[in-house]
Amino acid sequence: MKRFKTVVSIILITAMLLCMSGCAGSYRRSSRRDRDRDDAEESSEETARDDTGEIECETEFGTYTIGYGWVEVESHSTPPDYYSYCAEGNEDSQTPPNNLAVSHDTNYYGPDEDDDFATAILQQIHGQAAAYNGTASMTEYGTFGENQVYRFDLEMEDFNIYQWYVCGDHEYVMFSLAIYDFDEAEEDHSMDVAEEAVNSFVWNR
C-alpha cells in the first residue's frame, strides 16, 4: 500500500508540474532531448496531418488524434513517453497557454485492479488541489472502445486541470488538459481536442 501510494504521488506531482509549465516560454532543447527525439523518430513516432487538419500521432505506446489546429510543442516533448500540444501559434507564448500533455508510464496495477488505481489517484490529487486552494474529484469513468478510462477534474483558483487515465496492463496513458484562459478555451476547442485524443487512443500492442 505504501509503495504504490508513493509511486502514484511522484507520478502525479511530476505530471502536474509539467502541465502547469505547459508551453510557457521558449527555450533551447538540451542535446540529450535532441538525441531522444532523433531516436524516437527513427524508431516508431510518426505524425501526419490529414485533410481535415487533424494530426494522427503514432508513438511507441499507442496512437491518437490531435485536432482543431493544435500542434506538438517539440521543445516541451520528451519522446518516447511524453508529448505536449497547444493551439497553433501559441508554441512560444511567454505565459502558459491552454495545453494538452500525453504521457505514458508503468504502475503496479493489472487489468482487474483499475478501480484500486483510480482510488489511489483520487486520494493523492485531493491534497495537491488543496495546495492551490482548489478541489479535486473523479467525474467520469467507463469503457471507451477497448479501454477503461477514468477522468479527474482539478479546479484551482487560477486554472483547471482535467486528467483522463487510460488503464493498461501494469501501465497507463494520461491525457492532461491544463486550462489557463477559459475564454480562449472555447475558441481553441481545448476540451474537444482532449476528448478526441482520449476517445481515439489505441494501444500499440
Side-chain angles (χ1 to χ4, degrees):
M1 179 70 72
K2 184 176 180 181
R3 180 178 62 173
F4 79 68
K5 283 188 177 181
T6 301
V7 171
V8 171
S9 179
I10 292 171
I11 290 169
L12 287 168
I13 290 171
T14 301
M16 284 190 67
L17 290 173
L18 288 169
C19 286
M20 286 184 285
S21 65
C23 312
S26 58
Y27 53 83
R28 183 177 179 82
R29 284 175 288 170
S30 67
S31 59
R32 178 179 179 183
R33 178 173 292 170
D34 290 335
R35 290 195 302 271
D36 289 344
R37 173 166 288 281
D38 291 341
D39 291 343
E41 287 176 348
E42 290 176 3
S43 58
S44 65
E45 185 199 0
E46 296 179 6
T47 302
R49 191 180 295 277
D50 63 20
D51 294 338
T52 66
E54 296 180 334
I55 300 175
E56 299 299 325
C57 303
E58 182 175 349
T59 69
E60 290 186 5
F61 55 84
T63 60
Y64 52 90
T65 300
I66 298 294
Y68 292 98
W70 281 47
V71 295
E72 181 184 349
V73 185
E74 294 187 4
S75 60
H76 287 263
S77 297
T78 53
D81 290 312
Y82 182 87
Y83 299 89
S84 178
Y85 303 90
C86 71
E88 190 169 12
N90 289 338
E91 301 95 313
D92 296 324
S93 174
Q94 296 303 307
T95 58
N98 301 332
N99 65 90
L100 177 67
V102 182
S103 57
H104 168 256
D105 210 336
T106 58
N107 59 26
Y108 293 103
Y109 299 89
D112 299 326
E113 300 174 300
D114 296 339
D115 289 346
D116 294 334
F117 179 47
T119 298
I121 291 171
L122 187 58
Q123 290 174 347
Q124 295 296 329
I125 63 177
H126 273 307
Q128 293 167 3
Y132 291 90
N133 297 318
T135 60
S137 61
M138 184 172 72
T139 58
E140 290 183 71
Y141 65 92
T143 303
F144 296 85
E146 297 180 354
N147 299 319
Q148 179 68 28
V149 179
Y150 294 87
R151 172 179 161 178
F152 301 87
D153 294 2
L154 293 83
E155 299 182 348
M156 268 69 75
E157 201 168 18
D158 299 319
F159 63 95
N160 287 352
I161 293 178
Y162 306 95
Q163 296 179 337
W164 293 261
Y165 285 82
V166 180
C167 299
D169 185 0
H170 295 89
E171 62 181 331
Y172 68 91
V173 172
M174 181 180 68
F175 294 82
S176 185
L177 175 66
I179 300 293
Y180 297 95
D181 188 325
F182 294 94
D183 292 331
E184 187 173 325
E186 294 187 10
E187 298 178 8
D188 63 26
H189 305 282
S190 295
M191 187 62 72
D192 292 332
V193 168
E195 290 179 341
E196 181 178 11
V198 174
N199 293 338
S200 65
F201 181 76
V202 177
W203 287 101
N204 188 13
R205 298 288 182 265

